[in-house]
Amino acid sequence: MPMKPEEYIDVTPEKNHYSLEHFVIPKHYEKDVSSILIPHGVIMDRIQKLARLIVDDTTGPLVVCCILKGGHQYFADLVNQIKALTKNNGMSVPLSLEFIRVKSYKNDQSEGVTISMSESECRELEGKNLLIVEDIIDTGKTMVKLLERLQDYKPKSVRVTSLLVKKTERSNGYIPDYVGFAIPDAFVVGYALDYNEYFRDLDHICVISEHGKKAYAV
Ligand code: IMP
């Protein structure tokens, strides 16, 4: 079930303005980001809550599917939080982990996605409860296509969590089951989100600057 807007954190530049001086930014990115949108500590605290919501809704084993590459940091921290909950609170959610690289394609017939799993790995999803872990939903197209594709393998259930959802007019309306933050329609980097493979090594989620766009353009 899509998460309701009042259940996730609405990040706006007015409410959530942090100067670059307030936190530590690696020297090599100092000129390449214009503001810090979500500091790393806030991301971690939010993930603790998302893990709790997911565990509360889960009975039995869960296949947690990491969407590479951008989702890897959120996936790692979320899995750690779920493990901590099940260790300390006597809750039982056996986890298995899957890693999926998703590529969008468009030809003159249709739009779709290809996924990096082999046919036999896909067939193993049959009858399982899946949790898809994504970094950001922008237009929502990638996720909708991925979900269509996964249905071919008859999982028992599929839930989706995305750390970020972009507030954009280009959205197809798709909202995941568990959302961390809704963010303004800007290009963000950090916490494994990249711009041409750069910024994955930045901890905070930041808005890229014009300088950064030029410096790392391909
Ligand atoms: P969608 O199909 O438009 O929802 O696009 C989703 C994918 O686009 C994400 O998985 C990201 O890889 C990429 N993406 C969209 N917006 C951003 C951004 O602001 N920063 C980094 N990657 C982004």
Side-chain angles (χ1 to χ4, degrees):
M1 219 190 356
M3 202 178 217
K4 297 192 199 88
E6 61 271 23
E7 291 174 295
Y8 47 80
I9 298 170
D10 186 27
V11 176
T12 67
E14 299 75 38
K15 263 195 318 190
N16 309 78
H17 181 79
Y18 304 101
S19 146
L20 297 179
E21 304 302 316
H22 291 159
F23 297 96
V24 176
I25 299 277
K27 204 158 182 52
H28 52 281
Y29 290 137
E30 263 171 10
K31 293 198 184 120
D32 302 324
V33 293
S34 55
S35 66
I36 297 171
L37 206 55
I38 317 175
H40 185 248
V42 177
I43 301 170
M44 298 303 284
D45 288 344
R46 180 64 181 151
I47 293 174
Q48 197 175 30
K49 174 70 181 188
L50 291 168
R52 182 169 287 263
L53 294 174
I54 291 165
V55 168
D56 284 349
D57 290 347
T58 305
T59 45
L62 197 57
V63 182
V64 191
C65 304
C66 174
I67 306 300
L68 295 169
K69 293 180 188 172
H72 86 82
Q73 193 63 60
Y74 175 38
F75 171 86
D77 289 329
L78 182 68
V79 166
N80 276 342
Q81 288 292 348
I82 295 176
K83 274 164 40 184
L85 275 177
T86 55
K87 216 164 43 190
N88 303 332
N89 296 7
M91 296 159 156
S92 173
V93 182
L95 301 179
S96 52
L97 311 181
E98 218 28 275
F99 298 85
I100 312 179
R101 202 149 180 185
V102 180
K103 286 213 169 80
S104 304
Y105 68 81
K106 196 173 184 176
N107 59 28
D108 47 3
Q109 301 296 314
S110 66
E111 278 181 53
V113 293
T114 53
I115 57 181
S116 62
M117 292 163 75
S118 68
E119 210 38 46
S120 70
E121 284 171 324
C122 287
R123 274 200 299 272
E124 280 179 25
L125 301 178
E126 187 170 336
K128 306 264 173 71
N129 293 310
L130 312 185
L131 176 71
I132 312 291
V133 182
E134 175 66 296
D135 52 356
I136 184 165
I137 303 287
D138 183 357
T139 64
K141 280 187 190 166
T142 307
M143 188 52 68
V144 166
K145 298 282 173 202
L146 173 65
L147 292 175
E148 276 172 22
R149 181 99 170 73
L150 289 174
Q151 283 310 326
D152 295 345
Y153 300 100
K154 303 189 177 64
K156 184 172 173 203
S157 70
V158 184
R159 283 177 289 159
V160 177
T161 178
S162 180
L163 184 65
L164 307 176
V165 167
K166 218 179 256 190
K167 292 176 277 186
T168 168
E169 286 179 359
R170 300 181 309 279
S171 165
N172 63 4
Y174 175 77
I175 300 288
D177 306 274
Y178 307 96
V179 176
F181 306 87
I183 61 160
D185 191 1
F187 198 85
V188 293
V189 291
Y191 194 72
L193 286 124
D194 75 308
Y195 176 71
N196 296 329
E197 297 299 325
Y198 290 91
F199 299 100
R200 294 199 200 271
D201 55 337
L202 170 69
D203 282 341
H204 314 295
I205 293 177
C206 299
V207 178
I208 192 170
S209 66
E210 284 310 313
H211 183 279
K213 279 186 196 167
K214 276 198 204 112
Y216 301 112
V218 285

